[in-house]
Amino acid sequence: MTRSPAQVTGLLLQASWRRRWLLLVPLLIMTPVGIAASKYMPLNYVSRSLLMLQESGDISPLTREPINAQFVSNSERLEALRALLLSDAVLTGVVQDLNITEPKARAEKLQQLRETVRLEGDGGAFVEIFHSGPNPVGLGQELRTVILRFLDALVPDQSRPDAVTLLAEKHQRDLASQELLKTQLEAKLASSTSAGTETDIAKLAGNGGQFEAARAQQQKTIADRDQVQRELAALESKIQATRAQLEVTQQRLRSVRLASAQGVLRAPELIRMIDPPRDPEFPTRSARIYLLASLAAGALLGIALASISEFLDTSLRTPEEFADAVGAPVIARIGRAGAALS
């Protein structure tokens, strides 16, 4: 039969009252559990720092490429920064700065830093770095150490050549070696002569053995000269390709050097620490959250137990339930015995 919302609510309230002990027992059990958890469970503290990677002009703060380079998205830049922040080059230096020397302790601290340090931002000029832990004392100093190592990796030693410079130097070495080989082949070609001219070979016509030997030597020399000429032609193609690569790389190197004067990675003075890291004063969540969570868990458990018990109970209590069970309407009902005697 169809019941109105008011009837359903009434039935639920009646069932809850009948099963009130199933509602109260889980709450009574979970309350001391929540109190104990609120006192003894570790809290989580977070230290943060806000950095501004500022650049003049329209150059992105996270790249050294020229203004018109659009091949890196903001999300890709953030992923690159996160990878750099959690790299061995950064975190190993942090562990070293924290004076942790025992190998097992170093490995554990390295893994802990990878789990508790994170970087957030939208790819713009501002990024936030967070470091969390159960103990607030010294947390800000650890984050400062992480940031210093991160900035040290982010702003490389400018005396070291970059990738474009190294690539240009490689092309120059390749071109020099190829031109040297070309000179050697040309000298070999110039110094090589035939085994004899046709006139010289004709003079040996009366001597069969010498004639055949001279003819064979001439054919071998001609074959060697053809081979050298083929090698020279192939080498000339390689030299042209290497020169083209070198010109492209040198043009890119000039563009990068022109743009790098404004780039943040070559201008560390443009990196500013807006909010320096410090030890947090309050945890990220209150200890009372454990008590509230245990009470909520107890209430849900009590409701679940009461609902299951009510569902499994086959007793008939209301006229509607009797009517549904026997398939006939209820025309009268007898009150409780105590009520009749009174």
Side-chain angles (χ1 to χ4, degrees):
M1 61 178 297
T2 303
R3 293 186 174 91
S4 65
Q7 291 175 325
V8 173
T9 303
L11 291 175
L12 290 176
L13 291 176
Q14 292 176 7
S16 300
W17 177 251
R18 285 194 299 268
R19 314 293 178 182
R20 55 188 176 275
W21 291 110
L22 290 177
L23 293 174
L24 294 177
V25 170
L27 286 174
L28 294 176
I29 295 175
M30 295 302 295
T31 299
V33 173
I35 295 174
S38 63
K39 290 184 177 181
Y40 300 108
M41 287 294 290
L43 299 176
N44 189 53
Y45 295 85
V46 177
S47 179
R48 63 174 289 275
S49 178
L50 178 65
L51 301 180
M52 181 176 66
L53 286 72
Q54 181 184 14
E55 296 214 27
S56 59
D58 296 328
I59 302 176
S60 167
L62 306 181
T63 180
R64 289 183 295 173
E65 296 299 327
I67 297 177
N68 57 0
Q70 300 295 332
F71 61 93
V72 178
S73 64
N74 289 341
S75 61
E76 289 172 334
R77 295 189 184 101
L78 281 177
E79 288 302 320
L81 285 177
R82 291 190 183 102
L84 178 62
L85 178 64
L86 301 181
S87 65
D88 288 339
V90 173
L91 297 185
T92 301
V94 173
V95 174
Q96 181 180 351
D97 293 342
L98 295 176
N99 297 321
I100 301 176
T101 57
E102 200 273 324
K104 183 178 180 181
R106 288 173 63 92
E108 291 176 350
K109 188 62 177 180
L110 194 64
Q111 181 62 29
Q112 178 192 0
L113 289 173
R114 283 201 172 92
E115 295 174 354
T116 59
V117 174
R118 74 180 193 275
L119 181 145
E120 301 294 339
D122 60 357
F126 294 93
V127 294
E128 287 184 289
I129 300 179
F130 301 88
H131 180 33
S132 59
N135 186 6
V137 179
L139 202 62
Q141 183 59 39
E142 281 193 8
L143 180 57
R144 179 180 293 272
T145 304
V146 171
I147 292 175
L148 291 178
R149 282 289 182 171
F150 173 65
L151 294 180
D152 184 52
L154 184 65
V155 185
D157 184 1
Q158 302 306 317
S159 63
R160 298 178 182 178
D162 54 26
V164 182
T165 302
L166 295 176
L167 188 59
E169 292 176 354
K170 176 184 179 300
H171 291 328
Q172 289 175 343
R173 290 193 302 269
D174 292 343
L175 182 60
S177 63
Q178 290 169 0
E179 289 179 342
L180 177 60
L181 180 59
K182 178 183 177 182
T183 302
Q184 294 173 350
L185 290 176
E186 289 175 343
K188 181 178 179 180
L189 183 63
S191 63
S192 65
T193 58
S194 61
T197 63
E198 293 293 336
T199 302
D200 294 336
I201 295 175
K203 291 179 180 180
L204 299 175
N207 190 336
Q210 293 183 359
F211 177 79
E212 293 298 332
R215 175 65 68 179
Q217 181 63 34
Q218 183 188 43
Q219 291 175 352
K220 182 178 182 301
T221 302
I222 294 174
D224 291 342
R225 289 171 61 88
D226 292 341
Q227 177 64 28
V228 172
Q229 289 175 347
R230 286 193 295 270
E231 291 178 1
L232 277 172
L235 184 60
E236 186 64 32
S237 299
K238 289 184 179 179
I239 290 175
Q240 296 298 328
T242 304
R243 283 176 178 169
Q245 291 178 339
L246 178 59
E247 291 177 1
V248 172
T249 305
Q250 289 176 337
Q251 290 177 359
R252 184 181 179 189
L253 181 60
R254 288 191 292 269
S255 299
V256 170
R257 285 176 176 173
L258 181 63
S260 63
Q262 303 291 337
V264 66
L265 298 185
R266 296 183 181 272
E269 66 276 4
L270 297 179
I271 301 177
R272 305 192 184 279
M273 187 179 296
I274 306 301
D275 293 335
R278 63 175 185 270
D279 291 347
E281 299 179 2
F282 304 100
T284 56
R285 56 180 179 271
S286 172
R288 287 177 289 183
I289 193 67
Y290 294 108
L291 177 60
L292 296 177
S294 64
L295 293 176
L300 292 176
L301 180 60
I303 292 173
L305 291 175
S307 300
I308 293 174
S309 177
E310 186 69 17
F311 177 77
L312 297 177
D313 190 358
T314 58
S315 301
L316 301 177
R317 293 184 176 85
T318 65
E320 292 80 6
E321 292 175 350
F322 277 94
D324 290 340
V326 301
V330 176
I331 58 176
R333 64 180 178 177
I334 301 174
R336 290 179 299 174
L341 292 175
S342 61

